[in-house]
């Protein structure tokens, strides 16, 4: 790693938003570059090797999904999508095309910073590894013993619920699409319906959340999927 804070490339054609993001990032001591088109963004991506990319899906010269695939073809740099409200389909397609996360306009700077910290963790490989004990508030998961505790109490999960929980913990802070979850939990080739995932998630929540209506751990990303709380 070069220093503590990553270098961020913002690909966004809306000058006002791009300048606002760049200014805010610089105030937080991030180094930041902006590009107003896909062509310029790809050029800067190639030449300056940023650590994290913030990508607006609605660019004037190229389709956003194409840009993601092109970035992915070059390097595994974390890509955060900046999208407009109500574009659930676009967000899902973007995540499935290889984007790491998304943030919806208009957003608070604090929210963007939280997403960047998650991407930074991927960069630093500070991710949860297989076999490690996970603990957050009163939830504790011990994969070696295959034991899940809420407070002092052991909860019994079905194999599906347990797999879902581990996948969420491994990706904590990051949004997981229904497709992604179906692939990881049920395996490739099987297209489990969103409804099935909802049911398994609801059961898991009932077992690990103090209040399923106000979940502490498994957060819903409406129309897209789920995100395991990051902090
Ligand atoms: Ca735009």
């Amino acid at each position: 790693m070069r220093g503590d804070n990553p270098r961020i490339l913002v690909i966004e054609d809306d000058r006002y938003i791009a300048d606002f993001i760049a200014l805010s990032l610089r105030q937080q001591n991030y180094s930041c570059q902006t590009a107003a088109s896909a062509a310029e963004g790809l050029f800067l991506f190639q030449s300056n090797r940023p650590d994290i990319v913030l990508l607006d899906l609605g660019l004037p010269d190229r389709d956003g999904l194409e840009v993601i695939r092109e970035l992915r073809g070059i390097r595994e740099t974390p890509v955060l999508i900046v999208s407009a409200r109500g574009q659930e389909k676009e967000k899902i397609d973007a995540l499935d095309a290889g984007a790491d996360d998304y943030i919806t306009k208009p957003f608070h700077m604090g929210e963007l910073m939280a997403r960047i910290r998650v991407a930074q963790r991927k960069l630093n490989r500070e991710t949860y590894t297989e076999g490690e004990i996970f603990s957050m508030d009163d939830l504790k998961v011990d994969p070696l013993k295959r034991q899940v505790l809420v407070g002092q109490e052991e909860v019994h999960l079905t194999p599906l619920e347990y797999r879902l929980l581990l996948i969420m913990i491994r990706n904590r802070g990051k949004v997981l699409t229904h497709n992604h979850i179906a692939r990881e939990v049920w395996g490739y080739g099987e297209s489990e319906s969103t409804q099935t995932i909802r049911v398994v998630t609801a059961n898991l929540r009932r077992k690990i959340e103090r209040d399923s209506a106000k979940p502490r751990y498994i957060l819903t990303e409406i129309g897209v999927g789920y995100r395991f709380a990051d902090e």
Side-chain angles (χ1 to χ4, degrees):
M1 283 298 295
R2 296 162 294 208
D4 289 325
N5 286 325
R7 301 184 311 163
I8 300 173
L9 171 61
V10 180
I11 309 177
E12 164 71 79
D13 62 320
D14 184 322
R15 261 280 139 237
Y16 176 78
I17 296 175
D19 288 348
F20 170 69
I21 293 175
L23 182 69
S24 310
L25 289 173
R26 288 185 192 123
Q27 279 170 353
Q28 306 281 327
N29 294 322
Y30 287 93
S31 125
C32 182
Q33 269 193 314
T34 59
S37 67
E40 191 188 347
L42 286 163
F43 173 76
L44 290 176
F45 184 75
Q46 289 273 26
S47 54
N48 292 348
R49 304 181 72 94
D51 298 302
I52 294 172
V53 177
L54 294 187
L55 174 68
D56 169 34
L57 283 182
L59 291 169
D61 55 335
R62 292 280 295 275
D63 173 63
L65 293 183
E66 260 177 53
V67 179
I68 295 167
R69 290 192 197 103
E70 198 152 329
L71 293 171
R72 272 286 157 271
I74 301 167
R75 275 190 298 279
E76 278 298 304
T77 307
V79 176
L80 310 192
I81 297 304
V82 181
S83 74
R85 199 167 291 285
Q87 295 182 320
E88 261 67 35
K89 175 78 171 71
E90 280 92 337
K91 282 183 226 166
I92 294 169
D93 289 346
L95 292 164
D96 286 335
D100 290 87
D101 206 343
Y102 72 82
I103 187 156
T104 306
K105 293 177 203 172
F107 50 82
H108 292 290
M109 231 31 229
E111 204 187 336
L112 178 61
M113 291 304 160
R115 298 285 187 274
I116 288 174
R117 282 197 297 276
V118 171
Q120 247 174 306
R121 203 162 51 213
K122 175 186 172 185
L123 223 52
N124 294 328
R125 303 203 180 286
E126 288 167 20
T127 45
Y128 172 82
T129 44
E130 215 71 43
E132 201 175 287
I133 290 176
F134 173 82
S135 134
M136 186 173 181
D137 284 1
D138 55 1
L139 176 67
K140 196 172 151 196
V141 180
D142 183 342
L144 292 180
K145 293 188 194 151
R146 202 201 170 287
Q147 191 185 49
V148 179
L149 296 169
V150 175
Q152 303 298 314
E153 234 169 283
E154 181 166 4
V155 291
H156 296 278
L157 303 183
T158 67
L160 276 182
E161 289 161 4
Y162 184 69
R163 251 160 77 193
L164 178 62
L165 178 61
L166 281 194
I167 285 157
M168 287 185 168
I169 288 174
R170 218 178 288 142
N171 293 286
R172 76 178 187 280
K174 196 180 143 177
V175 64
L176 299 177
T177 62
H178 294 119
N179 273 349
H180 183 108
I181 292 169
R183 236 177 10 238
E184 296 267 332
V185 178
W186 282 270
Y188 282 95
E190 264 183 271
S191 59
E192 286 304 322
S193 72
T194 303
Q195 189 51 32
T196 312
I197 294 168
R198 276 206 189 103
V199 171
V200 178
T201 306
N203 290 338
L204 178 56
R205 269 183 177 151
R206 241 193 314 279
K207 293 179 184 181
I208 67 166
E209 300 280 3
R210 289 252 176 263
D211 180 358
S212 303
K214 290 193 199 112
R216 163 72 183 94
Y217 306 113
I218 302 174
L219 313 175
T220 299
E221 294 284 320
I222 294 164
V224 177
Y226 299 96
R227 180 196 301 273
F228 198 90
D230 182 40
E231 45 206 2

